[in-house]
Amino acid sequence: MKVSDDLSFLWRRVSAVEEPLFRFRELQRYEPDLWEPLVRNGLLNETPIPENYLDEKNRWMLVRQVNGKLFGVEDSDEPNGFEVLSEDDVRQYCFSPSSFADSLRRSNAIAGKGLQESEGFVRLGDKRITSKDTLRVYLSIGSGFLDSLELRLRALARERSRSARVVVFPVYPDLDSATEELLEASNLFVTDFDTDSFEINWPMSLGIEKSKPQHALICEGKTWRFIFDGEVATVADSKGIRFLAKLLSKPSEEFSAFALANPEAACESLDASDVEATDSASLRRYKERILDIEEELEEAIAFDREDEINRLEDEKDSILKHLSAVAGAGGRSRLQGEKEKTRQSVLRAFKRMFASLPVGRDHIAARLKTGYTCTYTPDAGEVWKVDPPK
């Protein structure tokens, strides 16, 4: 049962706690389209199985693994039994301040990087508001108690600065009137942001308009409308233009060439465990395991241990099938060969796409990285509207 249509509890915790944890069970109470994008974009990262967790009854439970199963034991001097757990019961996510800061920078054309601090606030960077004027932007996370927050805001207000400054909060703070007056006199503003678009709600006195896409790539059936710096062109549908749309929709995010070429299986990657499992060292370990299995089989057969015989034979068959699947002629890894073929195929698709682009070709080529992994890294303030095929 979903308890709310927003994640205000999440942002309140981000405001108060540095790198807070969120249990899967509490996120599960909300609509997936509210919190799953935070997982996909790296703002919420799954952690290893914890040593303890807080259950639904607010009891601290110790996590124990026995024979591949999870159990929770009450963390007390007199534990009252145990309970069987699923992975979802103990699954939790850690909030990533660096990914959060980068998302705000991308969505608001702020030039900056890292998590450098000033008076306890993260310095997001500078935003150009006129040809001569810039705005210094800070982020407040893990602020703790309100009284300490107001002290830090006052300290920041006393710092000398030629430019106006803004501190962005996940949840707008309830400041006392004396602090608000000091901030206003110091040309220091506080604000929050739209938790869906990550666009900062700039104070009206700064006269900043919300970011608008300067460029667009819009699918219109068998053609695409391509807009670059106000110039409009029509581009035929192709693999390359679809690959570009994927990268533009997730700026600065890396995709394997395999994921681009196989969108229906984008969760699979030839750069991950499949390829690692086919290198020479792994193949050697597989062959050594087969020899061990054959020795164990002889012993199991001698003592007529039928269950063990079946288990060992199944494991041996599984290894042999895997080796047959990944080893090509001469013992070469078939997957390694497929990886290279996919890289070349994606590269050719991009080359054909560039030949068809009437505008923006040099700009995109300079920011597009291709290879076994591909990514598009936009300039600060560069915003694309992308409408992929339905």
Side-chain angles (χ1 to χ4, degrees):
M1 178 178 174
K2 307 298 183 288
V3 301
S4 176
D5 59 357
D6 66 60
L7 286 180
S8 54
F9 90 96
L10 182 147
W11 297 113
R12 285 196 299 271
R13 196 177 302 173
V14 170
S15 288
V17 182
E18 188 174 352
E19 297 190 32
L21 289 171
F22 297 90
R23 291 186 296 112
F24 174 73
R25 290 301 189 198
E26 65 180 334
L27 293 173
Q28 205 175 26
R29 299 172 187 169
Y30 299 81
E31 294 294 343
D33 58 359
L34 291 175
W35 58 270
E36 286 183 349
L38 301 180
V39 177
R40 289 196 298 270
N41 295 330
L43 273 73
L44 291 177
N45 297 309
E46 187 171 350
T47 69
I49 294 175
E51 295 181 356
N52 52 50
Y53 75 103
L54 194 64
D55 72 0
E56 298 293 333
K57 300 177 182 178
N58 285 324
R59 300 177 302 174
W60 279 106
M61 308 290 286
L62 300 174
V63 179
R64 296 290 180 261
Q65 295 190 63
V66 180
N67 296 328
K69 295 183 178 180
L70 294 171
F71 299 90
V73 181
E74 190 173 356
D75 188 7
S76 67
D77 294 334
E78 298 181 2
N80 184 19
F82 65 90
E83 58 185 37
V84 179
L85 302 173
S86 69
E87 289 188 4
D88 285 348
D89 290 327
V90 296
R91 180 173 295 160
Q92 60 184 16
Y93 297 87
C94 181
F95 187 82
S96 170
S98 59
S99 296
F100 179 36
D102 287 341
S103 294
L104 286 171
R105 290 181 180 117
R106 285 196 300 268
S107 299
N108 296 278
I110 298 171
K113 60 181 180 179
L115 294 174
Q116 180 183 348
E117 289 194 3
S118 178
E119 299 297 341
F121 300 108
V122 174
R123 181 173 171 179
L124 281 180
D126 296 332
K127 177 179 178 63
R128 186 167 295 281
I129 52 179
T130 69
S131 60
K132 296 181 179 179
D133 298 324
T134 58
L135 176 68
R136 184 152 296 174
V137 187
Y138 298 88
L139 172 64
S140 176
I141 48 178
S143 300
F145 297 105
L146 181 60
D147 54 355
S148 64
L149 168 62
E150 290 180 334
L151 287 174
R152 289 188 283 114
L153 279 171
R154 291 176 182 179
L156 185 62
R158 287 192 290 268
E159 288 186 358
R160 292 184 177 181
S161 176
R162 294 182 179 179
S163 61
R165 294 165 294 170
V166 171
V167 181
V168 181
F169 289 82
V171 177
Y172 198 92
D174 184 16
L175 304 175
D176 63 35
S177 57
T179 301
E180 290 182 340
E181 289 174 5
L182 175 62
L183 299 184
E184 184 178 353
S186 306
N187 210 19
L188 176 62
F189 303 87
V190 296
T191 190
D192 53 11
F193 66 98
D194 185 297
T195 55
D196 291 325
S197 66
F198 282 74
E199 288 195 49
I200 294 171
N201 297 316
W202 301 108
M204 292 183 63
S205 58
L206 295 175
I208 300 175
E209 295 183 3
K210 289 204 170 188
S211 300
K212 296 179 181 178
Q214 311 122 309
H215 321 299
L217 188 56
I218 301 169
C219 182
E220 298 179 330
K222 295 183 179 180
T223 61
W224 293 71
R225 182 153 39 102
F226 187 85
I227 304 173
F228 186 82
D229 276 346
E231 295 188 61
V232 182
T234 298
V235 181
D237 187 30
S238 67
K239 288 183 178 180
I241 205 73
R242 289 176 179 242
F243 297 163
L244 179 63
K246 182 71 172 177
L247 298 178
L248 292 177
S249 68
K250 301 282 186 179
S252 302
E253 185 172 327
E254 283 196 343
F255 290 85
S256 70
F258 178 83
L260 288 178
N262 300 271
E264 71 285 350
C267 60
E268 301 176 19
S269 170
L270 290 179
D271 298 315
S273 58
D274 283 342
V275 170
E276 293 171 2
T278 62
D279 61 24
S280 57
S282 296
L283 291 172
R284 185 173 62 253
R285 286 195 295 271
Y286 280 131
K287 293 174 182 178
E288 290 173 353
R289 178 56 186 154
I290 288 177
L291 294 176
D292 291 340
I293 288 174
E294 290 176 344
E295 291 181 3
E296 293 174 25
L297 267 174
E298 289 180 6
E299 181 179 334
I301 292 170
F303 288 94
D304 198 24
R305 295 197 288 262
E306 187 173 347
D307 288 345
E308 188 174 354
I309 292 171
N310 291 335
R311 178 183 63 80
L312 291 168
E313 287 181 341
D314 287 345
E315 183 182 354
K316 181 179 178 181
D317 288 344
S318 177
I319 293 175
L320 290 174
K321 286 179 181 178
H322 178 70
L323 292 176
S324 175
V326 301
R332 290 187 303 111
S333 165
R334 184 175 298 161
L335 285 179
Q336 289 282 14
E338 288 296 324
K339 177 184 174 185
E340 175 61 18
K341 283 171 60 179
T342 303
R343 183 193 71 81
Q344 293 180 8
S345 174
V346 169
L347 181 59
R348 287 194 296 269
F350 275 127
K351 286 182 176 178
R352 289 193 293 269
M353 177 209 70
F354 278 122
S356 70
L357 285 185
V359 294
R361 183 184 310 165
D362 293 341
H363 178 92
I364 292 173
R367 291 151 185 82
L368 177 68
K369 170 188 168 293
T370 60
Y372 294 118
T373 60
C374 304
T375 186
Y376 182 85
T377 305
D379 291 342
E382 181 180 336
V383 181
W384 284 82
K385 176 185 178 182
V386 180
D387 284 344
K390 305 300 182 188

